[in-house]
Amino acid sequence: MGMCIPGRAAILTLVLQFFGALAANAQYWPELIIPAPVGVTASGEFGAALDVEGDWLLAGAPGTDLEANSSGAAYLFNRNEGGANAWELVEQLVPPISYPDARFGEKVQVADGRAFIAAPGDLNLGVATGAVYVYERDLGGADNWGFKQKIVVDQVQNSLGFGQRFLASGDQLFVNCPGYDENVNDAYPGVGGCAIFQRNPSGLYDQIRFVRGDSLVNSTQRPALSGWFARFQDKLYCGSRSLTTFRVPLEPLLQSDADIPAPERIQLADTFGYNAADFRYFGAVANNERLLLDVHHGNGAIAPHVVSFVDDGSGSLTQQGYMMPDSTQLSIEWWGWGEGMDLLGDRAVIGAYGDVFFTPNGHAEVYAPSADPMARWERLAYLVPSDPHYGDQFGRAVAMGDGMVAIGAPFYGELDLGEVYVYMDPFAGIDQKMRGPEWSIAPNPCSLSASGSVHVHVNADIQGSLTLRDTHGCLVREQRAHAGTVFPLAGLSVGAYLFTWSPSDPRQRSSSRWIILLP
């Protein structure tokens, strides 16, 4: 870290004071840094998986050597432990028996007072099939989060990857098994599969069905499933490795001997002027109100979209609104956009973790539906860390809670310990949200030898200031700015920098952009 950054013990207090002060003037989302807990080892990847429910935040650290090499761990934080919105550690969760390379914490979910934690390399009958562990909040005492069950699959195959991705929804648990091979004696990889579990009256999960991947999606690739699952209304939505999304009705799927209807492919009704066949579907999330699909165009020069769907009342989907990256000028902000995605009520967060070799500084964007249900969603926040680090992959994991967003940076620091950031919505409880200016910086990336400056473009002649910080969070340069300002870059080193626009009107929101400076 640079000289302008204090020791780790002081960062939490400093960030709260710094961003708390700015929130009143510039509408920053106050940031709280949760460093990797004591015991997380090098390459621990704390924050590789996140989930939030109510006052609980669950974070996985699948690479930590806490019990054995890459055995993994998970950590539970409570919003008000240690003070209001302090988010201090409450429980460290590890399995009763830890195995090397189990990667406990690869995927996590907290739902209905239960914590689900996947260990896709865990052992079952001595075979590395994977497992999903369940902990219950009040098992063994109030807020004790006692161990309830180790869930394993009937199909005992090595490298099954059981739990690499999963979805706990209601009384059901859907678990991806990408390594499932229907014929281990041929020379081809298998089609993968999905194990389905039902919670019985005693609270334990019983396997009711195993479904081959090619029964859930129409895909020629192996394994067939990508592992993205979403439950919307009475159907299960499944992502495929061929980058398409399908749905199947839940009722026959939850009956062990019922035939599964042919999967129905989901396609966009409004393709934004592009050829529908050129779209690639990467992920899906849903709640009771809407379904979000992450779609990218085959042409990397075209910005990705997250598209919203609602139920039309008859079981059919109606496309309604969409999200796009904050910057549509260049694709350097698009890498990893949508890999992390979450939805809570009418708010969505999209992570974009960047690329470790070129644009290593990730970000996340928070959206809400526009007043026009068919229009582009309004961007409420563009979130970046106050202490960025090359290759931290900030935004790989995201989770939404009431009035807050959690962002994981699993490769933070020289040792890849990882870090989690919690951002509080300064507008929480306020119905009318004032939109900040649409602005951009060009060129990006910028060649120092060719131009030595960038131009600021704003959608109106709005007065404000522009600050430039390096990847250590240190202030490098600041100047008053407005539409058409030329910002000099002379004397700067090659690398990544964070520009922040702060309008003079305190009711307007600040906004930030990464820019890459080349030789």
Side-chain angles (χ1 to χ4, degrees):
M1 302 296 286
M3 293 297 293
C4 63
I5 296 297
R8 296 293 295 161
I11 285 182
L12 189 68
T13 302
L14 174 66
V15 170
L16 280 172
Q17 291 174 344
F18 179 66
F19 279 86
L22 285 177
N25 298 321
Q27 308 304 350
Y28 278 84
W29 285 40
E31 174 196 73
L32 178 93
I33 294 177
I34 304 177
V38 174
V40 174
T41 60
S43 301
E45 301 173 39
F46 172 67
L50 293 173
D51 198 30
V52 174
E53 182 186 58
D55 292 335
W56 298 96
L57 186 158
L58 180 60
T64 191
D65 304 333
L66 191 63
E67 301 288 332
N69 181 54
S70 295
S71 58
Y75 299 88
L76 264 168
F77 301 83
N78 186 271
R79 180 190 295 260
N80 299 314
E81 187 74 16
N85 293 313
W87 293 101
E88 287 194 2
L89 179 65
V90 174
E91 293 286 344
Q92 172 186 277
L93 300 178
V94 293
I97 301 176
S98 294
Y99 296 101
D101 301 315
R103 291 188 63 82
F104 178 90
E106 182 85 17
K107 176 78 169 66
V108 302
Q109 185 177 348
V110 56
D112 300 325
R114 297 177 182 85
F116 300 84
I117 305 170
D122 210 314
L123 297 185
N124 176 25
L125 301 177
V127 179
T129 61
V132 175
Y133 290 81
V134 184
Y135 298 78
E136 289 190 351
R137 176 175 174 176
D138 295 325
L139 183 61
D143 292 339
N144 184 62
W145 292 97
F147 168 69
K148 178 71 173 181
Q149 182 184 9
K150 176 181 178 179
I151 301 175
V152 294
V153 66
D154 291 345
Q155 284 65 26
V156 181
Q157 292 184 2
N158 193 46
S159 300
L160 190 65
F162 175 81
Q164 192 177 79
R165 284 190 181 271
F166 67 84
L167 172 67
S169 178
D171 290 332
Q172 289 81 43
L173 177 68
F174 306 89
V175 186
N176 189 32
C177 303
Y180 171 72
D181 192 342
E182 69 281 4
N183 186 351
V184 296
N185 296 316
D186 63 16
Y188 302 100
V191 296
C194 174
I196 304 174
F197 298 82
Q198 177 77 34
R199 188 159 59 95
N200 64 31
S202 65
L204 298 175
Y205 285 83
D206 301 320
Q207 183 173 332
I208 59 173
R209 185 161 203 171
F210 186 88
V211 183
R212 284 177 36 147
D214 53 0
S215 296
L216 296 177
V217 299
N218 184 6
S219 174
T220 59
Q221 295 197 15
R222 292 172 173 248
L225 295 170
S226 70
W228 279 94
F229 298 120
R231 181 175 185 169
F232 184 56
Q233 305 302 346
D234 59 350
K235 296 180 175 61
L236 182 69
Y237 290 76
C238 308
S240 79
R241 287 289 300 276
S242 59
L243 303 183
T244 48
T245 297
F246 294 83
R247 68 176 183 177
V248 293
L250 273 170
E251 184 176 353
L253 195 60
L254 300 179
Q255 300 175 28
S256 60
D257 56 353
D259 292 333
I260 302 174
E264 176 188 358
R265 181 174 178 176
I266 306 304
Q267 293 181 298
L268 301 182
D270 177 5
T271 61
F272 314 106
Y274 303 115
N275 187 341
D278 293 332
F279 280 105
R280 312 288 185 263
Y281 294 68
F282 282 86
V285 294
N287 59 18
N288 292 332
E289 292 78 33
R290 66 181 74 245
L291 166 77
L292 300 182
L293 294 183
D294 175 28
V295 296
H296 294 233
H297 196 275
N299 182 348
I302 297 173
H305 294 66
V306 167
V307 183
S308 172
F309 295 86
V310 296
D311 192 301
D312 69 353
S314 66
S316 297
L317 292 178
T318 297
Q319 186 173 331
Q320 191 177 91
Y322 63 95
M323 286 155 269
M324 290 175 60
D326 179 72
S327 173
T328 59
Q329 287 191 324
L330 287 167
S331 62
I332 62 170
E333 293 214 16
W334 304 348
W335 289 339
W337 198 87
E339 174 72 16
M341 183 167 57
D342 199 16
L343 175 67
L344 180 67
D346 61 351
R347 298 289 182 269
V349 58
I350 310 295
Y353 59 81
D355 181 88
V356 69
F357 297 111
F358 183 52
T359 56
N361 299 302
H363 71 279
E365 299 177 34
V366 183
Y367 295 89
S370 170
D372 178 356
M374 301 305 296
R376 179 177 173 178
W377 284 29
E378 178 186 4
R379 182 182 58 80
L380 301 180
Y382 180 105
L383 302 175
V384 292
S386 64
D387 63 339
H389 188 278
Y390 270 107
D392 59 11
Q393 298 210 355
F394 176 92
R396 179 173 280 278
V398 300
M400 294 206 75
D402 184 19
M404 55 80 65
V405 172
I407 312 291
F411 297 99
Y412 176 85
E414 298 297 335
L415 298 179
D416 292 341
L417 295 178
E419 197 155 82
V420 171
Y421 300 78
V422 175
Y423 296 89
M424 304 306 297
D425 183 354
F427 296 97
I430 302 175
D431 293 332
Q432 183 63 37
K433 301 181 185 296
M434 192 167 183
R435 187 182 180 89
E438 294 293 332
W439 72 292
S440 61
I441 293 178
N444 185 12
C446 179
S447 172
L448 292 174
S449 58
S451 66
S453 63
V454 293
H455 292 259
V456 180
H457 302 275
V458 189
N459 65 343
D461 191 15
I462 300 174
Q463 300 296 319
S465 62
L466 198 63
T467 57
L468 181 70
R469 295 182 181 272
D470 62 18
T471 55
H472 300 301
C474 299
L475 180 65
V476 175
R477 191 167 297 168
E478 181 176 13
Q479 75 175 53
R480 299 295 297 173
H482 55 82
T485 291
V486 176
F487 195 95
L489 302 175
L492 297 182
S493 302
V494 170
Y497 292 86
L498 182 68
F499 280 81
T500 299
W501 170 274
S502 299
S504 299
D505 184 345
R507 297 172 299 170
Q508 294 279 4
R509 299 192 189 99
S510 288
S511 185
S512 301
R513 303 282 192 281
W514 287 112
I515 189 169
I516 308 299
L517 304 188
L518 304 175

